[in-house]
Amino acid sequence: MKNIHIGELIEEKFNEKSRKERSFTKAEFARRINLHRSTIYLLFQQKSIDIELLITISHVLEYDFIENVYKKASPIKKDTAIVGIEVPISELENIKFPYDFIHLVKEKDG
């Protein structure tokens, strides 16, 4: 995954929104994401961030950081997808998963 500095990206999106909406100040931003105004400066310096706070910030700034930053930076190969499905343990052999994967899942399940 490429090197992402989420605080700088949040600051960039904050600045874009504050230019469009003059009343959108750092104090207003802090209020909407339930932080103190002085904490906003620290937020902009953070290389990483709590996912729940990032979701709140995404809503306030009207920008999906998870979709537009993290998913695009993912090392997933082109023309592939990560798929999560719920499968009964007893049905794993019928799906043709690799033996090592089936063994790992059964071992974890107990």
Side-chain angles (χ1 to χ4, degrees):
M1 185 180 294
K2 70 179 183 178
N3 195 6
I4 297 170
H5 192 294
I6 194 64
E8 290 176 355
L9 294 170
I10 292 169
E11 183 175 24
E12 180 182 313
K13 293 302 174 185
F14 165 80
N15 289 334
E16 287 175 16
K17 186 171 176 86
S18 66
R19 279 192 294 274
K20 291 177 189 173
E21 300 174 31
R22 291 275 185 215
S23 63
F24 192 70
T25 62
K26 286 183 175 78
E28 177 61 17
F29 180 47
R31 185 189 68 73
R32 289 192 195 178
I33 63 172
N34 300 315
L35 293 177
H36 190 273
R37 182 180 180 277
S38 63
T39 310
I40 296 301
Y41 299 99
L42 296 174
L43 175 69
F44 293 158
Q45 296 173 9
Q46 297 299 309
K47 183 150 176 48
S48 63
I49 188 173
D50 176 77
I51 191 71
E52 289 182 27
L53 179 57
L54 185 59
I55 291 169
T56 301
I57 291 169
S58 290
H59 288 293
V60 171
L61 295 180
E62 300 172 8
Y63 181 82
D64 190 342
F65 287 93
I66 295 168
E67 180 69 32
N68 294 307
V69 177
Y70 290 106
K71 283 189 178 179
K72 288 181 180 176
S74 172
I76 300 171
K77 295 175 187 167
K78 187 177 180 180
D79 299 326
T80 64
I82 296 175
V83 179
I85 57 173
E86 187 172 322
V87 178
I89 298 294
S90 61
E91 296 295 317
L92 285 175
E93 284 90 1
N94 298 331
I95 301 177
K96 309 273 192 259
F97 283 116
Y99 173 79
D100 292 341
F101 177 78
I102 294 170
H103 183 71
L104 179 66
V105 171
K106 283 186 173 181
E107 201 173 85
K108 185 177 181 190
D109 188 53

